[in-house]
């Protein structure tokens, strides 16, 4: 997302660069033209700039150091709310939110969160997206009575909700005579998941350019994230590909699809509701088509240009 922000700004004539101690990501097309690997994120290694955006809590202070006119803090989710943080980690996260940097957030619900928790106004920056890349398939696969379902994220990350989702789906898999094909998109799979669902079609370390074809090849996508999810990119990618979604009824998903035009929403952790939604879509192919079309309409409003214009508006204010 950060690389997309820079590319989008450059498309409007802004001299935008990304600085990081990590090597240039070769998987992002064109990153070498604006990516700068630096020794560290400090005043000695970073250039002075008009506007500096810290993209994670620990990078906000360096952004303040080098910004000549405006430092910003890009909030991709409200990190201090995570239960897995130690007291020291949570304290550091909260301290970052108190620093004098303009808050940019990836979803409208985070505007409300930052206002309620810290008493400051944040600017919503819509997710940068490429609807021409994530698009409906040229031809839908034949209806063979099977259902291909995509679930993305690591089993062990509670915020992604993968563990409860798979536990909820397993009885449906068994009850249907194993006609439910689970497609798992993740960087890796731990031993517990492998033992629990060995039959899954696992796709690990998929290059970003190959993700659209993977999504186009399923019948529906499930976004089982917890309320801590900042945005939920898979849902938008699925909508771009006209795939219907079963999503948890959490703030970020409600912001993305407030009128339920593209998804059926279920309470986080409610396995029975999740199975019921999947079974309903399995039976009703027309409903899958309607939700898919509604999702495509939503996805077409998310463009890199819209992101760049929102960033520039926030900077100019």
């Amino acid at each position: 997302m950060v690389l997309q922000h820079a590319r989008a700004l450059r498309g409007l004539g802004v001299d935008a660069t990304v600085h990081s101690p990590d090597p240039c990501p070769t998987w992002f097309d064109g990153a070498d033209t604006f990516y700068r690997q630096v020794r560290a994120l400090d005043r000695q290694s970073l250039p002075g700039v008009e506007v500096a955006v810290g993209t994670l809590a620990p990078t906000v202070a360096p952004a303040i150091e080098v910004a000549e006119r405006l430092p910003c803090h890009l909030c991709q989710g409200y990190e201090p709310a995570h239960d897995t943080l130690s007291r020291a980690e949570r304290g550091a996260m909260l301290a970052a939110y108190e620093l004098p940097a303009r808050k940019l957030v990836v979803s409208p619900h985070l505007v409300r969160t930052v206002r309620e928790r810290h008493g400051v106004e944040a600017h919503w920056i819509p997710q940068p997206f490429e609807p021409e890349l994530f698009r409906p398939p040229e031809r839908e696969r034949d209806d063979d009575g099977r259902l291909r379902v995509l679930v993305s994220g690591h089993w062990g990350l509670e915020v992604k909700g993968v563990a409860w989702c798979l536990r909820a789906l397993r009885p449906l898999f068994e009850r249907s005579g194993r006609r439910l094909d689970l497609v798992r998109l993740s960087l890796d799979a731990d031993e517990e998941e492998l033992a629990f669902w060995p039959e899954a079609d696992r796709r690990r370390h998929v290059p970003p350019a190959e993700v659209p074809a993977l999504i186009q090849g399923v019948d529906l996508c499930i976004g089982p994230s917890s309320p801590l999810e900042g945005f939920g990119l898979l849902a938008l990618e699925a909508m771009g590909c006209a795939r219907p979604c079963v999503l948890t009824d959490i703030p970020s998903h409600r912001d993305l699809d407030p009128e339920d035009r593209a998804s059926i929403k279920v309470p986080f952790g409610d396995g029975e509701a999740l199975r019921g939604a999947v079974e309903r879509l399995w039976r009703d192919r027309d409903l899958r088509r309607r939700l898919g079309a509604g999702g495509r309409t939503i996805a077409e409003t998310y463009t890199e240009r819209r992101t760049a214009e929102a960033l520039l508006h926030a900077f100019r204010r």
Side-chain angles (χ1 to χ4, degrees), residues 68-92:
E68 297 171 358
R69 295 183 63 184
L70 176 68
C72 296
H73 175 186
L74 176 63
C75 312
Q76 302 178 48
Y78 190 67
E79 305 96 324
H82 285 253
D83 293 335
T84 56
L85 295 176
S86 67
R87 179 178 296 182
E89 289 171 330
R90 182 171 289 103

Side-chain angles (χ1 to χ4, degrees), residues 50-62:
E50 287 183 278
V51 178
V53 181
T55 61
L56 293 170
T59 67
V60 179

Side-chain angles (χ1 to χ4, degrees), residues 2-148:
V2 173
L3 299 171
Q4 287 179 301
H5 277 198
R7 181 172 67 188
L9 285 169
R10 290 173 70 86
L12 294 186
V14 177
D15 181 15
T17 54
V18 175
H19 291 76
S20 170
D22 298 325
C24 180
T26 57
W27 48 265
F28 191 89
D29 187 34
D32 58 329
T33 62
F34 59 82
Y35 192 94
R36 310 287 183 265
Q37 186 176 10
V38 294
R39 181 184 60 80
L41 296 179
D42 55 30
R43 183 181 289 276
Q44 289 70 42
S45 304
L46 296 172
V49 292
E50 287 183 278
V51 178
V53 181
T55 61
L56 293 170
T59 67
V60 179
I64 292 173
E65 281 192 41
V66 301
E68 297 171 358
R69 295 183 63 184
L70 176 68
C72 296
H73 175 186
L74 176 63
C75 312
Q76 302 178 48
Y78 190 67
E79 305 96 324
H82 285 253
D83 293 335
T84 56
L85 295 176
S86 67
R87 179 178 296 182
E89 289 171 330
R90 182 171 289 103
M93 292 290 185
L94 287 169
Y97 278 85
E98 295 299 326
L99 292 173
R102 186 172 300 281
K103 303 299 184 288
L104 313 175
V105 297
V106 299
S107 191
H109 77 97
L110 292 171
V111 174
R112 302 186 291 272
T113 298
V114 171
R115 180 190 303 127
E116 292 165 2
R117 301 290 183 93
H118 301 281
V120 297
E121 290 300 317
H123 295 266
W124 172 39
I125 308 299
Q127 177 73 28
F129 191 61
E130 299 172 276
E132 68 280 0
L133 180 63
F134 288 88
R135 60 182 185 274
E138 294 181 3
R139 181 178 180 276
E140 297 288 353
R141 73 182 194 86
D142 295 333
D143 188 357
D144 57 2
R146 304 188 69 84
L147 188 75
R148 286 181 62 78

Side-chain angles (χ1 to χ4, degrees), residues 2-305:
V2 173
L3 299 171
Q4 287 179 301
H5 277 198
R7 181 172 67 188
L9 285 169
R10 290 173 70 86
L12 294 186
V14 177
D15 181 15
T17 54
V18 175
H19 291 76
S20 170
D22 298 325
C24 180
T26 57
W27 48 265
F28 191 89
D29 187 34
D32 58 329
T33 62
F34 59 82
Y35 192 94
R36 310 287 183 265
Q37 186 176 10
V38 294
R39 181 184 60 80
L41 296 179
D42 55 30
R43 183 181 289 276
Q44 289 70 42
S45 304
L46 296 172
V49 292
E50 287 183 278
V51 178
V53 181
T55 61
L56 293 170
T59 67
V60 179
I64 292 173
E65 281 192 41
V66 301
E68 297 171 358
R69 295 183 63 184
L70 176 68
C72 296
H73 175 186
L74 176 63
C75 312
Q76 302 178 48
Y78 190 67
E79 305 96 324
H82 285 253
D83 293 335
T84 56
L85 295 176
S86 67
R87 179 178 296 182
E89 289 171 330
R90 182 171 289 103
M93 292 290 185
L94 287 169
Y97 278 85
E98 295 299 326
L99 292 173
R102 186 172 300 281
K103 303 299 184 288
L104 313 175
V105 297
V106 299
S107 191
H109 77 97
L110 292 171
V111 174
R112 302 186 291 272
T113 298
V114 171
R115 180 190 303 127
E116 292 165 2
R117 301 290 183 93
H118 301 281
V120 297
E121 290 300 317
H123 295 266
W124 172 39
I125 308 299
Q127 177 73 28
F129 191 61
E130 299 172 276
E132 68 280 0
L133 180 63
F134 288 88
R135 60 182 185 274
E138 294 181 3
R139 181 178 180 276
E140 297 288 353
R141 73 182 194 86
D142 295 333
D143 188 357
D144 57 2
R146 304 188 69 84
L147 188 75
R148 286 181 62 78
V149 176
L150 176 63
V151 179
S152 175
H154 195 279
W155 168 279
L157 289 176
E158 184 178 359
V159 65
K160 296 302 180 184
V162 172
W164 83 263
C165 174
L166 267 57
R167 291 191 178 105
L169 288 176
R170 185 74 196 193
L172 181 57
F173 172 74
E174 300 290 356
R175 198 165 64 231
S176 67
R178 304 194 168 199
R179 292 185 299 117
L180 185 149
D181 298 323
L182 174 66
V183 181
R184 285 284 288 118
L185 175 61
S186 65
L187 291 179
D188 209 344
D190 58 26
E191 293 300 321
E192 186 178 5
E193 179 186 344
L194 293 172
F196 182 75
W197 205 310
E199 305 90 348
D201 177 3
R202 290 191 167 78
R203 309 297 181 92
R204 307 178 193 177
H205 295 278
V206 177
E210 297 177 12
V211 173
L214 176 62
I215 297 175
Q216 291 165 358
V218 302
D219 298 306
L220 66 91
C221 293
I222 299 179
S225 296
S226 82
L228 294 177
E229 179 68 75
F231 181 76
L233 179 58
L234 177 69
L236 180 59
E237 292 174 340
M239 291 176 187
C241 296
R243 303 299 89 182
C245 297
V246 176
L247 305 176
T248 41
D249 190 12
I250 61 174
S252 59
H253 290 156
R254 290 196 291 272
D255 286 340
L256 180 60
D257 183 22
E259 299 175 350
D260 297 335
R261 297 162 60 195
S263 63
I264 297 176
K265 297 188 180 68
V266 300
F268 174 72
D270 190 334
E272 184 175 352
L274 179 67
R275 285 191 297 274
V278 171
E279 287 186 289
R280 180 183 172 193
L281 286 168
W282 197 343
R283 293 192 304 267
D284 195 336
R285 191 179 179 93
D286 288 338
L287 177 59
R288 298 206 303 265
R289 290 196 187 98
R290 290 198 301 274
L291 293 179
R296 178 63 191 177
T297 300
I298 292 172
E300 287 175 346
T301 69
Y302 285 81
T303 63
E304 286 194 1
R305 183 177 182 88

